[in-house]
Amino acid sequence: EAGVAQSPRYKIIEKRQSVAFWCNPISGHATLYWYQQILGQGPKLLIQFQNNGVVDDSQLPKDRFSAERLKGVDSTLKIQPAKLEDSAVYLCASSSPTTRNSGANVLTFGAGSRLTVL
Amino acid sequence: GQQLNQSPQSMFIQEGEDVSMNCTSSSIFNTWLWYKQDPGEGPVLLIALYKAGELTSNGRLTAQFGTTRKDSFLNISASIPSDVGIYFCAGSPSGSARQLTFGSGTQLTVLP
């Protein structure tokens, strides 16, 4: 099956500019996640969608970050205005529940979009 | 929120050697996952653990869910050059991906 697609792979912007990232999850995966991975750290969840609804956006800096998944398939993550500390890899992941543990989800990650803010 | 301590932060080993790394949590988890991330790629799931004491293998990789439910271990036997990468543990107290917390990673370098 095709994996999680993300674009662009790389983006360099100046602070206070805006940027948008796009994600297309694995076909049939209802749940979609955006993670931020700062260099030297593990991924940190920003927002989780179930179909086109937001399940958890408690760690999304809503003053500058926004995300949508209007048709319940692909998603966009936007940053406006960007700050230096937003430099990171933005990973999209999708999942479907496993059969072994009804509550457990196993994530499949895309390759990420690397953002550099100058 | 939960905190995960992953160690070691980095390892340099000779090809053919065995490797061990571990994660400890400040709280109880009921799911532990181990991922590998290659440069320029997203993390790829290696092993998933769902039960305390569970020992699961995937080829040369073996992971264990600690009996205290606050730790997990990953072992790689007979390392090869393609084992190079960053290994992440991740745990969830509820089994939900929404509460999945990642460790800071172990950077593995395999020397020929």
Side-chain angles (χ1 to χ4, degrees):
Chain A
E1 63 180 0
V4 177
Q6 290 190 246
S7 67
R9 290 297 312 276
Y10 305 93
K11 189 73 175 180
I12 301 173
I13 61 173
E14 294 186 349
K15 60 183 179 183
R16 292 188 288 275
Q17 288 187 324
S18 63
V19 63
F21 302 114
W22 173 84
C23 171
N24 188 270
I26 291 174
S27 177
H29 280 194
T31 312
L32 184 148
Y33 313 78
W34 283 102
Y35 283 82
Q36 180 192 58
Q37 185 177 21
I38 293 172
L39 185 65
Q41 299 180 19
K44 184 187 81 171
L45 180 67
L46 292 175
I47 188 168
Q48 177 185 344
F49 291 94
Q50 180 74 22
N51 296 309
N52 62 349
V54 175
V55 173
D56 185 355
D57 63 357
S58 59
Q59 299 198 74
L60 187 73
K62 299 180 187 64
D63 57 333
R64 297 182 301 103
F65 286 65
S66 65
E68 60 183 14
R69 193 184 184 200
L70 294 177
K71 296 182 179 179
V73 181
D74 55 358
S75 174
T76 56
L77 175 71
K78 297 180 181 178
I79 307 174
Q80 182 179 15
K83 292 185 175 181
L84 296 177
E85 59 261 35
D86 298 333
S87 294
V89 175
Y90 291 87
L91 294 164
C92 179
S94 66
S95 72
S96 62
T98 65
T99 55
R100 175 156 183 185
N101 183 326
S102 61
N105 291 322
V106 174
L107 308 177
T108 300
F109 286 89
S113 294
R114 179 177 295 277
L115 173 66
T116 301
V117 182
L118 303 176
Chain B
Q2 300 90 21
Q3 290 192 5
L4 276 186
N5 292 313
Q6 185 171 351
S7 65
Q9 188 174 11
S10 63
M11 300 182 73
F12 292 81
I13 61 170
Q14 295 290 139
E15 183 176 353
E17 289 183 342
D18 298 343
V19 174
S20 292
M21 58 191 79
N22 69 85
C23 271
T24 58
S25 167
S26 58
S27 55
I28 290 175
F29 286 166
N30 72 0
T31 299
W32 282 99
L33 307 173
W34 283 92
Y35 287 86
K36 182 189 178 200
Q37 187 172 27
D38 291 328
E41 300 295 331
V44 174
L45 181 69
L46 300 173
I47 294 178
L49 302 160
Y50 300 106
K51 185 178 177 181
E54 181 179 355
L55 189 70
T56 299
S57 293
N58 178 5
R60 294 176 298 103
L61 278 61
T62 301
Q64 183 165 22
F65 193 135
T67 54
T68 66
R69 298 174 61 192
K70 291 186 175 182
D71 54 7
S72 181
F73 309 88
L74 176 69
N75 296 311
I76 306 173
S77 62
S79 59
I80 59 177
S82 62
D83 291 335
V84 167
I86 304 177
Y87 292 79
F88 290 99
C89 62
S92 173
S94 64
S96 164
R98 182 159 59 94
Q99 294 181 296
L100 199 62
T101 301
F102 282 80
S104 56
T106 295
Q107 171 75 60
L108 178 64
T109 302
V110 180
L111 304 171

